[in-house]
């Protein structure tokens, strides 16, 4: 970004967002510090979004900013971590309007407050290409107790928070309207796509009950495949047990093949995890405490991969699964 522009952007729009972090020094130094609390391990994750890929250039800037924070918060939640702060690398098109940056910063502020995080630092550049943003989110767990993808064992139950498919249906809804949906259901789905609800209250509580856990963002079946692989197990899922929202159920009722899309589309930002049968009672209490519904959707078995079973116990092909940036 040419000369003063960059420093003015940092001072005007980003420095105020670091106010709750004295060791970010008002973004006036080369770097910030973060003191881990005693006995805590830091958990770090990064996610980038690019105009034309993850958002549309004319999407509302505050929603882009909030989604950017939330997709990262979702990763931390799935690891059982409590978020503390983040670094932001912003590449703005050369001709970005100050009002756009201001609205983007407002979105950051809104969700900083909601989720109790602060801006610690980052980088600001101009790009001849589309806008892109990367957030590195930092959280904490006691000791080394980050939830891993590798903790599933044969005999465990497979669970998922919230509902599956809404983000994918919301994205589809932006292209073409699903038949027979009420206007409120349309709004609900599009809102789920634009503004994920990371399970930040549930995540840390899962440390005491879950074996394996991961963030469901690229499609349930594909993401469960990561748990299967890292744990050296097979996951068998009952399609009928996968929780759908009322809007999702209406879509599947009108078009049963939409269930496959729910199981493989991305943008859920729920937590999939495993528990031993003995801990199912404790899990129910945990879900209640977090105020987040949790459903048992299948079981962990010996073997490899993910199987999806239909109502009659038959194996169903969930369809080409999941989102992969490099797939062609
Ligand atoms: P340098 O050129 O030495 O890397 P910068 O001028 O890029 O330093 O950054 C100065 C300070 O502003 C640093 O503390 C950096 O972390 C912070 N900063 C720069 N851009 C951002 C941003 N987009 N969000 C948050 N902090 C930023
Ligand atoms: Mg820099």
């Amino acid at each position: 970004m040419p000369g003063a522009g960059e420093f003015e952007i940092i001072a005007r729009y980003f420095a105020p967002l670091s106010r709750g972090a004295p060791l970010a020094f008002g973004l006036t130094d080369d770097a910030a510090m973060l003191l881990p609390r005693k006995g805590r391990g830091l958990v770090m994750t990064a996610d980038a979004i690019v105009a034309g890929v993850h958002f549309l250039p004319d999407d509302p800037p505050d929603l882009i900013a909030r989604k950017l924070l939330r997709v990262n918060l979702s990763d931390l939640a799935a690891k059982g971590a409590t978020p503390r702060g983040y670094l932001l690398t912003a590449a703005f098109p050369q001709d970005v309007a100050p009002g756009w940056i201001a609205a983007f910063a407002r979105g950051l502020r809104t969700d900083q407050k909601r989720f109790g995080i602060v801006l610690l630092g980052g980088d600001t550049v101009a790009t001849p290409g589309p806008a892109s943003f990367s957030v590195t989110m930092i959280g904490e767990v006691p000791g080394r107790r980050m939830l891993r993808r590798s903790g599933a064992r044969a005999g465990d139950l497979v669970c998922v928070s919230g509902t599956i498919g809404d983000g994918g249906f919301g994205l589809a809804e932006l292209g073409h309207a699903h038949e027979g949906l009420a206007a409120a259901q349309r709004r609900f789905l599009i809102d789920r796509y634009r503004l994920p609800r990371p399970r930040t209250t549930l995540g840390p509580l899962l440390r005491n009950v879950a074996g394996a856990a991961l963030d469901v963002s690229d499609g349930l079946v594909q993401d469960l495949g990561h748990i299967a692989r890292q744990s050296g197990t097979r996951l068998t899922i009952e399609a009928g047990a996968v929780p759908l929202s009322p809007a999702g159920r209406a879509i599947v009722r009108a078009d049963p093949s939409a269930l496959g899309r729910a199981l493989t589309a991305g943008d859920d930002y729920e937590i999939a995890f495993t528990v031993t049968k003995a801990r199912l009672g404790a899990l129910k209490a945990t879900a209640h405490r977090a105020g987040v519904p949790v459903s048992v959707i299948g079981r962990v078995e010996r073997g490899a991969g993910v199987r999806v079973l239909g109502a009659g116990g038959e194996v169903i092909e969930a369809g080409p699964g999941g989102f992969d940036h490099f797939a062609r």
Side-chain angles (χ1 to χ4, degrees), residues 9-20:
I9 290 172
I10 295 169
R12 176 177 306 178
Y13 300 109
F14 295 133
L17 298 176
S18 71
R19 226 161 254 156

Side-chain angles (χ1 to χ4, degrees), residues 6 122-124:
E6 173 189 338
D123 201 11
T124 305

